[in-house]
Amino acid sequence: MASSYQIGLTTGMRRGELLGLEWKNVNLEQGTIQVKQTVVYVNKQHIVKEPKTKNSVRTVTVPVSLIDELKKFKSVWKKDRFKVGDKWEGGEYEFLFSSWHGKPMHPSSITTWWNRFEKRYNLPHIRFHDLRHTSATLLINSGVHAKIISSRLGHADIRTTMNIYEHALQEADVEAANKFENLFGVNKKSRGLEA
């Protein structure tokens, strides 16, 4: 079933954006997620507010395999919501990730889930936020244009993406040079130009 870390890794969403994600913002037919709000915890209260910047309000396409998981997750979510009945405290909100009675989750809950997941599968420890960086790095190494990555992450400016992921971009540039080396090396050999 879809988890916060699957969505976090494939979309690059921030933790607060994941906590603020509602079913009305998930389009299972088009395979997109709209990032429209975030949940923060201040003075022992959950506050639903607009994302960090105007560019943080965005639509992100998700992998087809995740859509299938989200469909299963929504079915289970609806059954659980029905069981709660009049004990529901979520009001108008239908958060994907909430407490059993619909209230927003505390931000540390996602971190706790992630830490348990790492231990269960004997993964090296990284912060939950680092999934966002992993998402960007995987896209850079796959040759996705920096402007697309910047848009998926909700950065206000492509320069922010370039600055944060400079090291990964440099590695991708080295790989690009290696591809030329392989290309020219093969051509030289095939043309008998090798010394």
PDB file of all heavy atoms in Angstrom, residues 88-124:
ATOM      1  N   TRP A  88     -15.236  10.888  14.000  1.00  0.00           N
ATOM      2  CA  TRP A  88     -14.357  11.598  13.070  1.00  0.00           C
ATOM      3  C   TRP A  88     -14.126  13.034  13.534  1.00  0.00           C
ATOM      4  O   TRP A  88     -15.058  13.754  13.837  1.00  0.00           O
ATOM      5  CB  TRP A  88     -14.993  11.608  11.677  1.00  0.00           C
ATOM      6  CG  TRP A  88     -14.172  12.299  10.620  1.00  0.00           C
ATOM      7  CD1 TRP A  88     -14.379  13.545  10.124  1.00  0.00           C
ATOM      8  CD2 TRP A  88     -13.034  11.778   9.942  1.00  0.00           C
ATOM      9  NE1 TRP A  88     -13.436  13.838   9.168  1.00  0.00           N
ATOM     10  CE2 TRP A  88     -12.592  12.768   9.032  1.00  0.00           C
ATOM     11  CE3 TRP A  88     -12.334  10.575  10.006  1.00  0.00           C
ATOM     12  CZ2 TRP A  88     -11.496  12.587   8.191  1.00  0.00           C
ATOM     13  CZ3 TRP A  88     -11.244  10.398   9.174  1.00  0.00           C
ATOM     14  CH2 TRP A  88     -10.839  11.388   8.279  1.00  0.00           C
ATOM     15  N   GLU A  89     -12.864  13.436  13.613  1.00  0.00           N
ATOM     16  CA  GLU A  89     -12.508  14.789  14.052  1.00  0.00           C
ATOM     17  C   GLU A  89     -11.750  15.562  12.984  1.00  0.00           C
ATOM     18  O   GLU A  89     -11.197  16.621  13.258  1.00  0.00           O
ATOM     19  CB  GLU A  89     -11.675  14.712  15.337  1.00  0.00           C
ATOM     20  CG  GLU A  89     -12.442  14.163  16.530  1.00  0.00           C
ATOM     21  CD  GLU A  89     -11.601  14.141  17.793  1.00  0.00           C
ATOM     22  OE1 GLU A  89     -10.732  15.033  17.954  1.00  0.00           O
ATOM     23  OE2 GLU A  89     -11.803  13.244  18.622  1.00  0.00           O
ATOM     24  N   GLY A  90     -11.760  15.031  11.763  1.00  0.00           N
ATOM     25  CA  GLY A  90     -11.037  15.685  10.685  1.00  0.00           C
ATOM     26  C   GLY A  90     -11.800  16.823  10.037  1.00  0.00           C
ATOM     27  O   GLY A  90     -11.248  17.545   9.207  1.00  0.00           O
ATOM     28  N   GLY A  91     -13.082  16.978  10.405  1.00  0.00           N
ATOM     29  CA  GLY A  91     -13.885  18.031   9.802  1.00  0.00           C
ATOM     30  C   GLY A  91     -13.985  17.853   8.301  1.00  0.00           C
ATOM     31  O   GLY A  91     -14.229  16.756   7.813  1.00  0.00           O
ATOM     32  N   GLU A  92     -13.745  18.923   7.570  1.00  0.00           N
ATOM     33  CA  GLU A  92     -13.834  18.896   6.114  1.00  0.00           C
ATOM     34  C   GLU A  92     -12.619  18.249   5.462  1.00  0.00           C
ATOM     35  O   GLU A  92     -12.632  17.917   4.282  1.00  0.00           O
ATOM     36  CB  GLU A  92     -13.975  20.324   5.583  1.00  0.00           C
ATOM     37  CG  GLU A  92     -12.720  21.149   5.855  1.00  0.00           C
ATOM     38  CD  GLU A  92     -12.897  22.627   5.652  1.00  0.00           C
ATOM     39  OE1 GLU A  92     -13.579  23.248   6.479  1.00  0.00           O
ATOM     40  OE2 GLU A  92     -12.337  23.150   4.668  1.00  0.00           O
ATOM     41  N   TYR A  93     -11.538  18.074   6.232  1.00  0.00           N
ATOM     42  CA  TYR A  93     -10.290  17.553   5.675  1.00  0.00           C
ATOM     43  C   TYR A  93     -10.323  16.035   5.521  1.00  0.00           C
ATOM     44  O   TYR A  93     -10.841  15.324   6.378  1.00  0.00           O
ATOM     45  CB  TYR A  93      -9.106  17.944   6.569  1.00  0.00           C
ATOM     46  CG  TYR A  93      -8.879  19.428   6.646  1.00  0.00           C
ATOM     47  CD1 TYR A  93      -9.147  20.123   7.819  1.00  0.00           C
ATOM     48  CD2 TYR A  93      -8.403  20.144   5.555  1.00  0.00           C
ATOM     49  CE1 TYR A  93      -8.926  21.495   7.907  1.00  0.00           C
ATOM     50  CE2 TYR A  93      -8.189  21.511   5.624  1.00  0.00           C
ATOM     51  CZ  TYR A  93      -8.454  22.176   6.789  1.00  0.00           C
ATOM     52  OH  TYR A  93      -8.244  23.526   6.867  1.00  0.00           O
ATOM     53  N   GLU A  94      -9.725  15.574   4.425  1.00  0.00           N
ATOM     54  CA  GLU A  94      -9.554  14.141   4.185  1.00  0.00           C
ATOM     55  C   GLU A  94      -8.098  13.885   3.848  1.00  0.00           C
ATOM     56  O   GLU A  94      -7.738  13.582   2.706  1.00  0.00           O
ATOM     57  CB  GLU A  94     -10.482  13.668   3.061  1.00  0.00           C
ATOM     58  CG  GLU A  94     -11.942  13.738   3.432  1.00  0.00           C
ATOM     59  CD  GLU A  94     -12.858  13.114   2.377  1.00  0.00           C
ATOM     60  OE1 GLU A  94     -12.474  13.050   1.183  1.00  0.00           O
ATOM     61  OE2 GLU A  94     -13.951  12.693   2.755  1.00  0.00           O
ATOM     62  N   PHE A  95      -7.253  14.032   4.882  1.00  0.00           N
ATOM     63  CA  PHE A  95      -5.816  13.843   4.705  1.00  0.00           C
ATOM     64  C   PHE A  95      -5.497  12.387   4.415  1.00  0.00           C
ATOM     65  O   PHE A  95      -6.075  11.485   5.016  1.00  0.00           O
ATOM     66  CB  PHE A  95      -5.059  14.260   5.970  1.00  0.00           C
ATOM     67  CG  PHE A  95      -5.213  15.711   6.329  1.00  0.00           C
ATOM     68  CD1 PHE A  95      -5.846  16.080   7.508  1.00  0.00           C
ATOM     69  CD2 PHE A  95      -4.712  16.704   5.503  1.00  0.00           C
ATOM     70  CE1 PHE A  95      -5.971  17.416   7.854  1.00  0.00           C
ATOM     71  CE2 PHE A  95      -4.842  18.049   5.846  1.00  0.00           C
ATOM     72  CZ  PHE A  95      -5.473  18.399   7.023  1.00  0.00           C
ATOM     73  N   LEU A  96      -4.547  12.155   3.507  1.00  0.00           N
ATOM     74  CA  LEU A  96      -4.089  10.792   3.249  1.00  0.00           C
ATOM     75  C   LEU A  96      -3.441  10.223   4.499  1.00  0.00           C
ATOM     76  O   LEU A  96      -3.623   9.053   4.820  1.00  0.00           O
ATOM     77  CB  LEU A  96      -3.072  10.756   2.099  1.00  0.00           C
ATOM     78  CG  LEU A  96      -3.625  10.609   0.692  1.00  0.00           C
ATOM     79  CD1 LEU A  96      -4.350  11.861   0.247  1.00  0.00           C
ATOM     80  CD2 LEU A  96      -2.534  10.251  -0.276  1.00  0.00           C
ATOM     81  N   PHE A  97      -2.671  11.059   5.181  1.00  0.00           N
ATOM     82  CA  PHE A  97      -1.945  10.620   6.365  1.00  0.00           C
ATOM     83  C   PHE A  97      -2.454  11.416   7.561  1.00  0.00           C
ATOM     84  O   PHE A  97      -2.156  12.595   7.704  1.00  0.00           O
ATOM     85  CB  PHE A  97      -0.438  10.822   6.167  1.00  0.00           C
ATOM     86  CG  PHE A  97       0.061  10.200   4.894  1.00  0.00           C
ATOM     87  CD1 PHE A  97       0.429  10.992   3.815  1.00  0.00           C
ATOM     88  CD2 PHE A  97       0.125   8.820   4.753  1.00  0.00           C
ATOM     89  CE1 PHE A  97       0.864  10.424   2.630  1.00  0.00           C
ATOM     90  CE2 PHE A  97       0.554   8.245   3.575  1.00  0.00           C
ATOM     91  CZ  PHE A  97       0.921   9.049   2.509  1.00  0.00           C
ATOM     92  N   SER A  98      -3.247  10.754   8.378  1.00  0.00           N
ATOM     93  CA  SER A  98      -3.842  11.418   9.539  1.00  0.00           C
ATOM     94  C   SER A  98      -3.886  10.441  10.700  1.00  0.00           C
ATOM     95  O   SER A  98      -3.583   9.263  10.554  1.00  0.00           O
ATOM     96  CB  SER A  98      -5.266  11.892   9.204  1.00  0.00           C
ATOM     97  OG  SER A  98      -6.107  10.783   8.988  1.00  0.00           O
ATOM     98  N   SER A  99      -4.300  10.946  11.852  1.00  0.00           N
ATOM     99  CA  SER A  99      -4.533  10.062  12.993  1.00  0.00           C
ATOM    100  C   SER A  99      -5.770   9.219  12.684  1.00  0.00           C
ATOM    101  O   SER A  99      -6.489   9.492  11.721  1.00  0.00           O
ATOM    102  CB  SER A  99      -4.745  10.899  14.257  1.00  0.00           C
ATOM    103  OG  SER A  99      -5.895  11.718  14.083  1.00  0.00           O
ATOM    104  N   TRP A 100      -6.067   8.243  13.485  1.00  0.00           N
ATOM    105  CA  TRP A 100      -7.180   7.319  13.211  1.00  0.00           C
ATOM    106  C   TRP A 100      -8.518   8.044  13.135  1.00  0.00           C
ATOM    107  O   TRP A 100      -9.439   7.617  12.469  1.00  0.00           O
ATOM    108  CB  TRP A 100      -7.239   6.206  14.275  1.00  0.00           C
ATOM    109  CG  TRP A 100      -7.606   6.703  15.648  1.00  0.00           C
ATOM    110  CD1 TRP A 100      -6.753   7.167  16.599  1.00  0.00           C
ATOM    111  CD2 TRP A 100      -8.921   6.814  16.192  1.00  0.00           C
ATOM    112  NE1 TRP A 100      -7.451   7.556  17.713  1.00  0.00           N
ATOM    113  CE2 TRP A 100      -8.787   7.348  17.502  1.00  0.00           C
ATOM    114  CE3 TRP A 100     -10.198   6.519  15.732  1.00  0.00           C
ATOM    115  CZ2 TRP A 100      -9.863   7.595  18.335  1.00  0.00           C
ATOM    116  CZ3 TRP A 100     -11.277   6.760  16.556  1.00  0.00           C
ATOM    117  CH2 TRP A 100     -11.110   7.288  17.844  1.00  0.00           C
ATOM    118  N   HIS A 101      -8.638   9.203  13.819  1.00  0.00           N
ATOM    119  CA  HIS A 101      -9.913   9.920  13.818  1.00  0.00           C
ATOM    120  C   HIS A 101      -9.911  11.130  12.887  1.00  0.00           C
ATOM    121  O   HIS A 101     -10.817  11.960  12.931  1.00  0.00           O
ATOM    122  CB  HIS A 101     -10.328  10.334  15.228  1.00  0.00           C
ATOM    123  CG  HIS A 101      -9.265  11.030  16.028  1.00  0.00           C
ATOM    124  ND1 HIS A 101      -8.427  11.976  15.505  1.00  0.00           N
ATOM    125  CD2 HIS A 101      -8.916  10.909  17.324  1.00  0.00           C
ATOM    126  CE1 HIS A 101      -7.600  12.417  16.436  1.00  0.00           C
ATOM    127  NE2 HIS A 101      -7.883  11.779  17.551  1.00  0.00           N
ATOM    128  N   GLY A 102      -8.892  11.228  12.002  1.00  0.00           N
ATOM    129  CA  GLY A 102      -8.907  12.249  10.960  1.00  0.00           C
ATOM    130  C   GLY A 102      -8.130  13.512  11.213  1.00  0.00           C
ATOM    131  O   GLY A 102      -7.964  14.328  10.316  1.00  0.00           O
ATOM    132  N   LYS A 103      -7.669  13.710  12.444  1.00  0.00           N
ATOM    133  CA  LYS A 103      -6.881  14.916  12.729  1.00  0.00           C
ATOM    134  C   LYS A 103      -5.509  14.786  12.077  1.00  0.00           C
ATOM    135  O   LYS A 103      -5.005  13.687  11.887  1.00  0.00           O
ATOM    136  CB  LYS A 103      -6.732  15.114  14.235  1.00  0.00           C
ATOM    137  CG  LYS A 103      -7.984  15.646  14.876  1.00  0.00           C
ATOM    138  CD  LYS A 103      -7.657  16.279  16.194  1.00  0.00           C
ATOM    139  CE  LYS A 103      -8.880  17.035  16.693  1.00  0.00           C
ATOM    140  NZ  LYS A 103      -8.590  17.814  17.866  1.00  0.00           N
ATOM    141  N   PRO A 104      -4.898  15.939  11.744  1.00  0.00           N
ATOM    142  CA  PRO A 104      -3.567  15.872  11.134  1.00  0.00           C
ATOM    143  C   PRO A 104      -2.586  15.130  12.036  1.00  0.00           C
ATOM    144  O   PRO A 104      -2.689  15.184  13.258  1.00  0.00           O
ATOM    145  CB  PRO A 104      -3.171  17.344  11.000  1.00  0.00           C
ATOM    146  CG  PRO A 104      -4.436  18.108  11.053  1.00  0.00           C
ATOM    147  CD  PRO A 104      -5.362  17.312  11.927  1.00  0.00           C
ATOM    148  N   MET A 105      -1.652  14.455  11.408  1.00  0.00           N
ATOM    149  CA  MET A 105      -0.609  13.763  12.153  1.00  0.00           C
ATOM    150  C   MET A 105       0.437  14.763  12.621  1.00  0.00           C
ATOM    151  O   MET A 105       0.651  15.784  11.978  1.00  0.00           O
ATOM    152  CB  MET A 105       0.080  12.733  11.260  1.00  0.00           C
ATOM    153  CG  MET A 105      -0.783  11.570  10.896  1.00  0.00           C
ATOM    154  SD  MET A 105       0.111  10.437   9.831  1.00  0.00           S
ATOM    155  CE  MET A 105       1.205   9.710  11.017  1.00  0.00           C
ATOM    156  N   HIS A 106       1.082  14.427  13.708  1.00  0.00           N
ATOM    157  CA  HIS A 106       2.217  15.213  14.157  1.00  0.00           C
ATOM    158  C   HIS A 106       3.365  14.946  13.184  1.00  0.00           C
ATOM    159  O   HIS A 106       3.571  13.803  12.765  1.00  0.00           O
ATOM    160  CB  HIS A 106       2.620  14.806  15.583  1.00  0.00           C
ATOM    161  CG  HIS A 106       3.592  15.747  16.200  1.00  0.00           C
ATOM    162  ND1 HIS A 106       4.937  15.707  15.905  1.00  0.00           N
ATOM    163  CD2 HIS A 106       3.417  16.764  17.077  1.00  0.00           C
ATOM    164  CE1 HIS A 106       5.544  16.660  16.579  1.00  0.00           C
ATOM    165  NE2 HIS A 106       4.651  17.314  17.299  1.00  0.00           N
ATOM    166  N   PRO A 107       4.121  15.967  12.794  1.00  0.00           N
ATOM    167  CA  PRO A 107       5.213  15.763  11.834  1.00  0.00           C
ATOM    168  C   PRO A 107       6.196  14.668  12.233  1.00  0.00           C
ATOM    169  O   PRO A 107       6.730  13.969  11.382  1.00  0.00           O
ATOM    170  CB  PRO A 107       5.904  17.134  11.795  1.00  0.00           C
ATOM    171  CG  PRO A 107       4.835  18.096  12.152  1.00  0.00           C
ATOM    172  CD  PRO A 107       3.948  17.381  13.141  1.00  0.00           C
ATOM    173  N   SER A 108       6.408  14.487  13.527  1.00  0.00           N
ATOM    174  CA  SER A 108       7.363  13.462  13.963  1.00  0.00           C
ATOM    175  C   SER A 108       6.872  12.050  13.668  1.00  0.00           C
ATOM    176  O   SER A 108       7.667  11.111  13.625  1.00  0.00           O
ATOM    177  CB  SER A 108       7.670  13.616  15.452  1.00  0.00           C
ATOM    178  OG  SER A 108       6.517  13.330  16.218  1.00  0.00           O
ATOM    179  N   SER A 109       5.556  11.879  13.439  1.00  0.00           N
ATOM    180  CA  SER A 109       5.021  10.543  13.146  1.00  0.00           C
ATOM    181  C   SER A 109       5.597   9.984  11.856  1.00  0.00           C
ATOM    182  O   SER A 109       5.942   8.799  11.777  1.00  0.00           O
ATOM    183  CB  SER A 109       3.495  10.579  13.038  1.00  0.00           C
ATOM    184  OG  SER A 109       2.934  10.966  14.259  1.00  0.00           O
ATOM    185  N   ILE A 110       5.707  10.814  10.830  1.00  0.00           N
ATOM    186  CA  ILE A 110       6.285  10.356   9.557  1.00  0.00           C
ATOM    187  C   ILE A 110       7.749   9.989   9.761  1.00  0.00           C
ATOM    188  O   ILE A 110       8.219   8.980   9.244  1.00  0.00           O
ATOM    189  CB  ILE A 110       6.117  11.422   8.451  1.00  0.00           C
ATOM    190  CG1 ILE A 110       4.665  11.429   7.977  1.00  0.00           C
ATOM    191  CG2 ILE A 110       7.053  11.169   7.282  1.00  0.00           C
ATOM    192  CD1 ILE A 110       4.380  12.356   6.816  1.00  0.00           C
ATOM    193  N   THR A 111       8.450  10.794  10.541  1.00  0.00           N
ATOM    194  CA  THR A 111       9.851  10.503  10.829  1.00  0.00           C
ATOM    195  C   THR A 111       9.969   9.176  11.563  1.00  0.00           C
ATOM    196  O   THR A 111      10.838   8.353  11.257  1.00  0.00           O
ATOM    197  CB  THR A 111      10.479  11.634  11.667  1.00  0.00           C
ATOM    198  OG1 THR A 111      10.326  12.862  10.949  1.00  0.00           O
ATOM    199  CG2 THR A 111      11.939  11.381  11.943  1.00  0.00           C
ATOM    200  N   THR A 112       9.078   8.925  12.522  1.00  0.00           N
ATOM    201  CA  THR A 112       9.082   7.662  13.271  1.00  0.00           C
ATOM    202  C   THR A 112       8.828   6.481  12.333  1.00  0.00           C
ATOM    203  O   THR A 112       9.519   5.463  12.408  1.00  0.00           O
ATOM    204  CB  THR A 112       8.021   7.692  14.393  1.00  0.00           C
ATOM    205  OG1 THR A 112       8.314   8.784  15.257  1.00  0.00           O
ATOM    206  CG2 THR A 112       8.026   6.406  15.187  1.00  0.00           C
ATOM    207  N   TRP A 113       7.832   6.612  11.444  1.00  0.00           N
ATOM    208  CA  TRP A 113       7.556   5.547  10.462  1.00  0.00           C
ATOM    209  C   TRP A 113       8.796   5.262   9.620  1.00  0.00           C
ATOM    210  O   TRP A 113       9.146   4.115   9.387  1.00  0.00           O
ATOM    211  CB  TRP A 113       6.434   5.968   9.518  1.00  0.00           C
ATOM    212  CG  TRP A 113       5.061   5.939  10.058  1.00  0.00           C
ATOM    213  CD1 TRP A 113       4.638   5.513  11.288  1.00  0.00           C
ATOM    214  CD2 TRP A 113       3.885   6.365   9.368  1.00  0.00           C
ATOM    215  NE1 TRP A 113       3.289   5.664  11.398  1.00  0.00           N
ATOM    216  CE2 TRP A 113       2.802   6.181  10.240  1.00  0.00           C
ATOM    217  CE3 TRP A 113       3.660   6.908   8.109  1.00  0.00           C
ATOM    218  CZ2 TRP A 113       1.499   6.502   9.878  1.00  0.00           C
ATOM    219  CZ3 TRP A 113       2.364   7.226   7.742  1.00  0.00           C
ATOM    220  CH2 TRP A 113       1.298   7.021   8.626  1.00  0.00           C
ATOM    221  N   TRP A 114       9.416   6.343   9.159  1.00  0.00           N
ATOM    222  CA  TRP A 114      10.584   6.199   8.297  1.00  0.00           C
ATOM    223  C   TRP A 114      11.721   5.486   9.034  1.00  0.00           C
ATOM    224  O   TRP A 114      12.357   4.585   8.491  1.00  0.00           O
ATOM    225  CB  TRP A 114      11.042   7.564   7.784  1.00  0.00           C
ATOM    226  CG  TRP A 114      12.325   7.499   7.025  1.00  0.00           C
ATOM    227  CD1 TRP A 114      13.494   8.097   7.345  1.00  0.00           C
ATOM    228  CD2 TRP A 114      12.572   6.778   5.816  1.00  0.00           C
ATOM    229  NE1 TRP A 114      14.457   7.796   6.417  1.00  0.00           N
ATOM    230  CE2 TRP A 114      13.917   6.982   5.468  1.00  0.00           C
ATOM    231  CE3 TRP A 114      11.788   5.966   4.998  1.00  0.00           C
ATOM    232  CZ2 TRP A 114      14.504   6.421   4.335  1.00  0.00           C
ATOM    233  CZ3 TRP A 114      12.368   5.401   3.860  1.00  0.00           C
ATOM    234  CH2 TRP A 114      13.706   5.632   3.537  1.00  0.00           C
ATOM    235  N   ASN A 115      11.971   5.863  10.285  1.00  0.00           N
ATOM    236  CA  ASN A 115      13.038   5.224  11.063  1.00  0.00           C
ATOM    237  C   ASN A 115      12.765   3.735  11.264  1.00  0.00           C
ATOM    238  O   ASN A 115      13.673   2.907  11.184  1.00  0.00           O
ATOM    239  CB  ASN A 115      13.208   5.921  12.414  1.00  0.00           C
ATOM    240  CG  ASN A 115      13.785   7.318  12.267  1.00  0.00           C
ATOM    241  OD1 ASN A 115      14.403   7.652  11.265  1.00  0.00           O
ATOM    242  ND2 ASN A 115      13.573   8.153  13.275  1.00  0.00           N
ATOM    243  N   ARG A 116      11.504   3.372  11.499  1.00  0.00           N
ATOM    244  CA  ARG A 116      11.144   1.948  11.642  1.00  0.00           C
ATOM    245  C   ARG A 116      11.355   1.201  10.328  1.00  0.00           C
ATOM    246  O   ARG A 116      11.825   0.063  10.319  1.00  0.00           O
ATOM    247  CB  ARG A 116       9.685   1.814  12.084  1.00  0.00           C
ATOM    248  CG  ARG A 116       9.450   2.168  13.520  1.00  0.00           C
ATOM    249  CD  ARG A 116       8.000   1.972  13.879  1.00  0.00           C
ATOM    250  NE  ARG A 116       7.709   2.549  15.172  1.00  0.00           N
ATOM    251  CZ  ARG A 116       6.528   3.006  15.545  1.00  0.00           C
ATOM    252  NH1 ARG A 116       5.502   2.960  14.711  1.00  0.00           N
ATOM    253  NH2 ARG A 116       6.345   3.505  16.747  1.00  0.00           N
ATOM    254  N   PHE A 117      10.976   1.845   9.237  1.00  0.00           N
ATOM    255  CA  PHE A 117      11.148   1.242   7.914  1.00  0.00           C
ATOM    256  C   PHE A 117      12.624   0.973   7.636  1.00  0.00           C
ATOM    257  O   PHE A 117      13.000  -0.106   7.167  1.00  0.00           O
ATOM    258  CB  PHE A 117      10.555   2.167   6.842  1.00  0.00           C
ATOM    259  CG  PHE A 117      10.662   1.646   5.444  1.00  0.00           C
ATOM    260  CD1 PHE A 117       9.746   0.725   4.955  1.00  0.00           C
ATOM    261  CD2 PHE A 117      11.682   2.072   4.593  1.00  0.00           C
ATOM    262  CE1 PHE A 117       9.835   0.239   3.660  1.00  0.00           C
ATOM    263  CE2 PHE A 117      11.787   1.597   3.299  1.00  0.00           C
ATOM    264  CZ  PHE A 117      10.856   0.676   2.829  1.00  0.00           C
ATOM    265  N   GLU A 118      13.486   1.942   7.945  1.00  0.00           N
ATOM    266  CA  GLU A 118      14.929   1.780   7.748  1.00  0.00           C
ATOM    267  C   GLU A 118      15.458   0.587   8.548  1.00  0.00           C
ATOM    268  O   GLU A 118      16.230  -0.221   8.027  1.00  0.00           O
ATOM    269  CB  GLU A 118      15.672   3.036   8.224  1.00  0.00           C
ATOM    270  CG  GLU A 118      15.587   4.208   7.298  1.00  0.00           C
ATOM    271  CD  GLU A 118      16.344   5.398   7.845  1.00  0.00           C
ATOM    272  OE1 GLU A 118      16.271   5.660   9.073  1.00  0.00           O
ATOM    273  OE2 GLU A 118      17.007   6.068   7.051  1.00  0.00           O
ATOM    274  N   LYS A 119      15.028   0.493   9.810  1.00  0.00           N
ATOM    275  CA  LYS A 119      15.502  -0.602  10.658  1.00  0.00           C
ATOM    276  C   LYS A 119      15.002  -1.950  10.163  1.00  0.00           C
ATOM    277  O   LYS A 119      15.744  -2.933  10.136  1.00  0.00           O
ATOM    278  CB  LYS A 119      15.066  -0.367  12.110  1.00  0.00           C
ATOM    279  CG  LYS A 119      15.861   0.725  12.789  1.00  0.00           C
ATOM    280  CD  LYS A 119      15.381   0.993  14.192  1.00  0.00           C
ATOM    281  CE  LYS A 119      16.141   2.173  14.779  1.00  0.00           C
ATOM    282  NZ  LYS A 119      15.596   2.624  16.046  1.00  0.00           N
ATOM    283  N   ARG A 120      13.716  -1.996   9.780  1.00  0.00           N
ATOM    284  CA  ARG A 120      13.125  -3.252   9.310  1.00  0.00           C
ATOM    285  C   ARG A 120      13.872  -3.809   8.103  1.00  0.00           C
ATOM    286  O   ARG A 120      14.082  -5.006   7.979  1.00  0.00           O
ATOM    287  CB  ARG A 120      11.656  -3.050   8.963  1.00  0.00           C
ATOM    288  CG  ARG A 120      10.955  -4.358   8.588  1.00  0.00           C
ATOM    289  CD  ARG A 120       9.478  -4.192   8.231  1.00  0.00           C
ATOM    290  NE  ARG A 120       8.783  -3.331   9.150  1.00  0.00           N
ATOM    291  CZ  ARG A 120       7.981  -2.331   8.787  1.00  0.00           C
ATOM    292  NH1 ARG A 120       7.772  -2.061   7.514  1.00  0.00           N
ATOM    293  NH2 ARG A 120       7.378  -1.607   9.691  1.00  0.00           N
ATOM    294  N   TYR A 121      14.289  -2.935   7.206  1.00  0.00           N
ATOM    295  CA  TYR A 121      14.952  -3.367   5.975  1.00  0.00           C
ATOM    296  C   TYR A 121      16.463  -3.144   6.011  1.00  0.00           C
ATOM    297  O   TYR A 121      17.125  -3.240   4.984  1.00  0.00           O
ATOM    298  CB  TYR A 121      14.316  -2.677   4.762  1.00  0.00           C
ATOM    299  CG  TYR A 121      12.900  -3.148   4.564  1.00  0.00           C
ATOM    300  CD1 TYR A 121      11.830  -2.377   4.998  1.00  0.00           C
ATOM    301  CD2 TYR A 121      12.629  -4.394   4.002  1.00  0.00           C
ATOM    302  CE1 TYR A 121      10.519  -2.822   4.852  1.00  0.00           C
ATOM    303  CE2 TYR A 121      11.323  -4.845   3.846  1.00  0.00           C
ATOM    304  CZ  TYR A 121      10.277  -4.048   4.273  1.00  0.00           C
ATOM    305  OH  TYR A 121       8.987  -4.500   4.138  1.00  0.00           O
ATOM    306  N   ASN A 122      16.972  -2.849   7.211  1.00  0.00           N
ATOM    307  CA  ASN A 122      18.415  -2.701   7.425  1.00  0.00           C
ATOM    308  C   ASN A 122      19.041  -1.705   6.441  1.00  0.00           C
ATOM    309  O   ASN A 122      20.073  -1.972   5.831  1.00  0.00           O
ATOM    310  CB  ASN A 122      19.102  -4.076   7.318  1.00  0.00           C
ATOM    311  CG  ASN A 122      20.444  -4.076   7.989  1.00  0.00           C
ATOM    312  OD1 ASN A 122      20.694  -3.301   8.907  1.00  0.00           O
ATOM    313  ND2 ASN A 122      21.329  -4.950   7.529  1.00  0.00           N
ATOM    314  N   LEU A 123      18.393  -0.563   6.294  1.00  0.00           N
ATOM    315  CA  LEU A 123      18.868   0.490   5.398  1.00  0.00           C
ATOM    316  C   LEU A 123      19.759   1.458   6.164  1.00  0.00           C
ATOM    317  O   LEU A 123      19.573   1.657   7.360  1.00  0.00           O
ATOM    318  CB  LEU A 123      17.684   1.265   4.808  1.00  0.00           C
ATOM    319  CG  LEU A 123      16.695   0.460   3.972  1.00  0.00           C
ATOM    320  CD1 LEU A 123      15.483   1.307   3.620  1.00  0.00           C
ATOM    321  CD2 LEU A 123      17.368  -0.057   2.716  1.00  0.00           C
ATOM    322  N   PRO A 124      20.716   2.064   5.484  1.00  0.00           N
ATOM    323  CA  PRO A 124      21.512   3.090   6.169  1.00  0.00           C
ATOM    324  C   PRO A 124      20.617   4.272   6.542  1.00  0.00           C
ATOM    325  O   PRO A 124      19.685   4.595   5.805  1.00  0.00           O
ATOM    326  CB  PRO A 124      22.563   3.492   5.138  1.00  0.00           C
ATOM    327  CG  PRO A 124      22.064   2.994   3.827  1.00  0.00           C
ATOM    328  CD  PRO A 124      21.114   1.878   4.095  1.00  0.00           C
TER     329      PRO A 124
END
